Amino acid sequence: MIKMCDIRKYHDVDPAEIQRMKDAHVVLNHVDYKPQPIVKGYTDKILTIDVTDASVKIADIPAEVKEKFTGGKGYCLRYLWDATNPNTKWDSPENEIVMSAGPIAGITQYAGTGKMLVCTISPMTDIPIDSNVGGFFGPYLKFSGFDAIELKGQAEEDVIIVIDGNKGTISVEKAPLEHMDAHLMGEELTAMYADNENDRKHVAVVCAGSAAEHCNISMLNFTFYDPNRGVVRLKQAGRGGIGRVFRHKKIKAVVCKYQGIKNDLNNVHDISIINKTGVKYHREMATQDPKQNNMRKIGTANTMKTLNDYDILPTHNFKFGGTPNIAEMHPQVFIEKWLTQGAADGCWYGCSMACAKAADHFELLTGPYKGSKVVVDGPEYETAAGVGPNCGITDPQVILELNFYCDTYGLDTISWGTMCAFLMECYENGILNKERTGGLELNFGNAAAALELIHLTAKNEGFGKIAALGSHKQKELFIKNGWGDAAFLNDIAMEQKGLEYSEYGSKESLAQQGGYGLTNKGPQHDEAWLIFMDQVNNQIPTFDDKAEALYYYPRFRTWFGLVGLCKLPWNDVVPENNSLTDEPAKVPEHVDNYLNLFYGVTGKKIDREELLVMSERVYNFQRIFNIRLGKGLRKHDAIPYRSMGPVTEEEYLSRQDRYDGQLVTKVGFTKEQVAAMSLAEKMAETRKYREGEYEKLINAVYPKRGWTMNGVPKIEHLKKIGMDLPELIEIVEPLQNLEP
C-alpha cells in the first residue's frame, strides 16, 4: 500500500519547452472584461466563443430562462436548442458545446459540489447528449463571472481559449505545439498558465485526446491539480462523443484560471444554513462510510464484489452476471498495490466523500508511454467492470492500463468497454475473424488484443478505424457487409439510441431495464439507477413500485445536474437511521439537506414537490428536443434483448434452473410442461414473456410522466408544469394522437 509520505513530485515539465510552446501561440482575439459578481449562486451571464472568427460575446441570461431551466443541464439544453435546428447534425457548424455548473456548484461546505454539465448534439446518438463531470473547471468558470459557456463554430487551425477570472481577460489563441494526449496537455497548459508550482492548483483545463480526432466514442477530460501528488489529474465528461465535437471544431483546450477559493464566493443567501447542513453531512460520512461502502478508501469500485454476488456484474458482453475470478480484482487488491491511502481525494474542495481515487506511480507496459510511471484516476466501478469482466479481463494491471489509455487518448471507458465486449462476442461467433480484424484475436480475455486495439484506435489504423465507430455503427456495418445475422447482432449489441450501455446487467431487474430504455439520452444509469433498490435491496417489489420509481427517480436525479451536485453523496452513504424512514430508497434526510442547500444559496424556498417540478420541466424539454431531431418516440425506447434475457443457448443453460423456474412461477406453465419443452421452446417462451413485461412497463410509465402511449409529452401536462412554450407546443401538437 502506498502511503502519502511515499509520494514524490513527478511529471515535471521542462520550463524551456513550455516557453517554446507558449511562444508559438498566436493571439487571435483578446478581450478584457469585468467579472460579474455572483449573487445567490448566479452571475446571470453567459460567455459565447465562436472559434470560426475567434469572436467573444458576453450576454445576460434572461430571467425566464433562469426560472424555467434553473442552471446546469437546463441552461445547456436551452442554449443548445436555440443554436440548432431540426436538421442539425453533430458536425454541423451551428452545433455547440454548452457547459454550465449551476447555482450550488462551488460551495465548499458540502460533498460533491464541483459538478458541471456538458451538452452537445452527439455523433453517436444524433440527439442531445448530456454528461456530468467533476474537477475544478465548473466552479472556476462561475467564479470568473459566467453561469455558462457556449463553444460554437469551427476554427481553421487548432485553438485554445484562455479565461483568467482574476485579471478579467479572455483570449483565443492558435496553439500548434502542445501534445494531444490529455495527461501531457493537461500538464503543459497547467504549467504554462500558472505563475509558479503553487499556482497550478488555480488552473483547470478542458481537453480531449488524440483519438478524438476521428473516434465517435471520444470524451472530454477536465483537469484538477493534486498538490499532494504533484500531478495534474483528469475527470471525464465521458458519454456520447463530446470530444469528437470538440476536436471537429479544432478546439484544442479551454483553460480557466481562478485564485482565491473561499467558502462564501457564491455570495449565498444564508451561509449559516449551508454550514450547518455541511457539518451534519461530514459527521455522517466520518461515522457511517466505514460501516457502509468505504467510499473514502476505495471509491466507487467498492460495489464490484456485491454486484458479482448478485449476478449483476456484466461479463462477456453482458451474457453473464459475474466472473469466478472476481477475487483477482477485489478492491483490496487495488488498495494494497496501488491506491494511496490518506490522500485528500475529493475532486473539489470540501468533498468529504473523497471517492476520486488514484493509482499512483503506475508503470505502463504497452503503448507509446511504455515504461512511464503515471497516475491513473480510478478505477471507477464503471471502468473496471467495462474494460474488465465484460471483456473477460480480470487482471488489475490490464484494467488500470486500459483505464489510463482511454483517459489520455480521450475515449469514454464505458463505451469502450461495452463496445470492445461486443466485438469480442462477434469474433467468437465468426462475425469477425483474423482477416477482418487485421490479425487481432479478439477472444474474451485476450488482454494483449484489447490493448493493441486501443492503440490502433488512437492512431486511426487498421481495425482501430472500425473500433472508432462505436457499437451502433459497427452493427450497421457488419449487417451491410453480410458478416452476421441482423437479428442476432441487434440482440447482442448493447447500445440503445446509439449509446453503449453502462455497466449493470439488467436481466433480472425490470426496473433497471426501464431505467436504461426509457431515458432521454440513451442507456446511462444516471437517470434511474434502480438496480440496487430493485434487485439487491428489494425496495420496489411490485410492478407498480417499479413504474412509480421510473417516474420519480429520473425527475429527482435530473435535479443534481441543474444545480451543480454529484449524485453519490445522496445515497451511497446514508444516515444511520435511514432504514427506519417511510421511504428509505429516497434517503429523505438527504433530500431535505438539498432543499436546505438550495434555500441557503438562492434564498428560494422549495419543497420536495417543487424540486421535482424544476426537473420535470427540463426532462420534458429534452424529450421534445429529441423529437425535434427525429427521435424521442416509443420505438426509440426499445432495448436489445440481451438486456432483458438470454439470447444464446449458452446463456440460458448457465442459469437453467432460474429460467425454468420462472416459466413456472411467472409465466404460468406447470413443471411438467416445462420439462417437456425443448430448449428452443423454453427460450422462445422466456423471450415472449420478458419482452411483454417491458412493453407493459412502458404502458405504465408513460401516463405517469404525462406522455401519450407513443412517448410524446401531452400539451395539458406541459401546461401543468409551466412548460407550454410555443416552440415546444409546435413540435408536440401534431403528434398528440399519433399511435405507436
Side-chain angles (χ1 to χ4, degrees), residues 554-603:
R555 293 185 297 157
F556 176 70
R557 293 170 72 93
T558 293
W559 193 78
F560 292 96
L562 303 184
V563 297
L565 290 170
C566 175
K567 298 177 183 68
L568 296 181
W570 161 51
N571 68 346
D572 275 65
V573 176
V574 300
E576 187 174 17
N577 66 347
N578 186 63
S579 63
L580 303 178
T581 63
D582 291 339
E583 297 180 292
K586 294 180 179 179
V587 197
E589 184 177 326
H590 284 181
V591 177
D592 290 340
N593 285 354
Y594 294 129
L595 298 177
N596 288 334
L597 288 178
F598 189 75
Y599 175 61
V601 172
T602 68

Side-chain angles (χ1 to χ4, degrees), residues 270-575:
D270 189 339
I271 200 167
S272 67
I273 295 174
I274 297 168
N275 290 339
K276 181 180 178 180
T277 306
V279 167
K280 181 178 71 169
Y281 183 81
H282 296 327
R283 186 182 299 119
E284 183 183 299
M285 276 298 305
T287 59
Q288 299 307 310
D289 181 51
K291 303 175 185 178
Q292 296 180 22
N293 286 335
N294 263 327
M295 296 291 285
R296 293 164 63 89
K297 192 172 184 179
I298 182 60
T300 61
N302 73 81
T303 58
M304 194 75 65
K305 187 177 185 305
T306 301
L307 292 171
N308 190 80
D309 292 345
Y310 278 88
D311 208 28
I312 296 169
L313 181 69
T315 304
H316 289 198
N317 194 32
F318 293 85
K319 277 198 287 188
F320 313 119
T323 170
N325 301 323
I326 189 63
E328 295 180 18
M329 51 188 302
H330 190 279
Q332 196 62 31
V333 176
F334 291 95
I335 290 173
E336 292 177 355
K337 193 165 185 179
W338 289 292
L339 298 187
T340 304
Q341 299 302 304
D345 274 331
C347 63
W348 176 243
Y349 296 103
C351 187
S352 51
M353 179 164 275
C355 69
K357 313 316 294 182
D360 286 299
H361 291 260
F362 178 80
E363 185 172 352
L364 299 167
L365 302 182
T366 70
Y369 306 110
K370 180 180 179 179
S372 297
K373 289 190 175 181
V374 297
V375 167
V376 185
D377 269 86
E380 300 279 2
Y381 165 75
E382 296 279 354
T383 299
V387 306
N390 208 20
C391 295
I393 296 168
T394 52
D395 182 344
Q397 169 74 37
V398 177
I399 290 169
L400 284 170
E401 186 134 344
L402 286 165
N403 186 348
F404 170 80
Y405 275 116
C406 276
D407 289 351
T408 198
Y409 288 155
L411 298 168
D412 172 20
T413 55
I414 297 174
S415 278
W416 178 266
T418 298
M419 178 274 298
C420 192
F422 168 63
L423 294 178
M424 287 177 165
E425 186 165 4
C426 287
Y427 188 88
E428 295 208 340
N429 281 276
I431 296 165
L432 297 174
N433 52 42
K434 288 177 69 173
E435 179 182 358
R436 291 169 181 167
T437 64
L440 291 176
E441 298 180 349
L442 290 175
N443 299 98
F444 285 117
N446 190 338
L451 285 161
E452 179 61 18
L453 181 59
I454 200 170
H455 300 314
L456 288 171
T457 302
K459 293 184 288 187
N460 200 28
E461 294 178 357
F463 193 69
K465 294 181 180 179
I466 303 298
L469 296 174
S471 300
H472 180 76
K473 290 181 171 61
Q474 289 165 357
K475 178 180 69 175
E476 290 181 332
L477 177 65
F478 300 164
I479 293 171
K480 178 182 177 182
N481 288 349
W483 291 355
D485 177 68
F488 179 68
L489 284 164
N490 283 320
D491 279 349
I492 69 166
M494 288 296 284
E495 60 84 16
Q496 191 247 16
K497 297 184 176 77
L499 185 70
E500 282 83 8
Y501 268 64
S502 68
E503 308 303 332
Y504 297 93
S506 58
K507 285 188 178 74
E508 300 309 316
S509 173
L510 179 63
Q512 190 56 55
Q513 291 168 31
Y516 278 137
L518 305 184
T519 56
N520 277 326
K521 67 183 174 188
Q524 173 67 8
H525 63 272
D526 64 344
E527 283 189 24
W529 187 65
L530 303 178
I531 195 82
F532 252 78
M533 65 180 69
D534 189 29
Q535 191 168 336
V536 177
N537 297 329
N538 195 32
Q539 292 170 311
I540 44 175
T542 70
F543 189 88
D544 286 342
D545 289 337
K546 300 180 200 307
E548 178 61 28
L550 285 163
Y551 174 49
Y552 174 84
Y553 287 101
R555 293 185 297 157
F556 176 70
R557 293 170 72 93
T558 293
W559 193 78
F560 292 96
L562 303 184
V563 297
L565 290 170
C566 175
K567 298 177 183 68
L568 296 181
W570 161 51
N571 68 346
D572 275 65
V573 176
V574 300

Side-chain angles (χ1 to χ4, degrees), residues 117-184:
L117 265 289
V118 188
C119 293
T120 194
I121 305 298
S122 165
M124 300 167 64
T125 66
D126 302 312
I127 53 178
I129 190 73
D130 61 273
S131 194
N132 72 80
V133 62
F136 287 5
F137 185 86
Y140 282 4
L141 181 72
K142 184 162 77 170
F143 299 152
S144 297
F146 305 108
D147 284 338
I149 181 173
E150 292 178 286
L151 304 174
K152 62 190 298 185
Q154 185 174 6
E156 293 183 0
E157 299 179 63
D158 284 342
V159 298
I160 65 169
I161 297 157
V162 184
I163 304 161
D164 190 316
N166 299 109
K167 295 179 180 177
T169 61
I170 302 165
S171 63
V172 183
E173 307 172 5
K174 287 185 183 179
L177 299 183
E178 289 82 4
H179 289 88
M180 288 307 306
D181 287 334
H183 78 294
L184 295 178

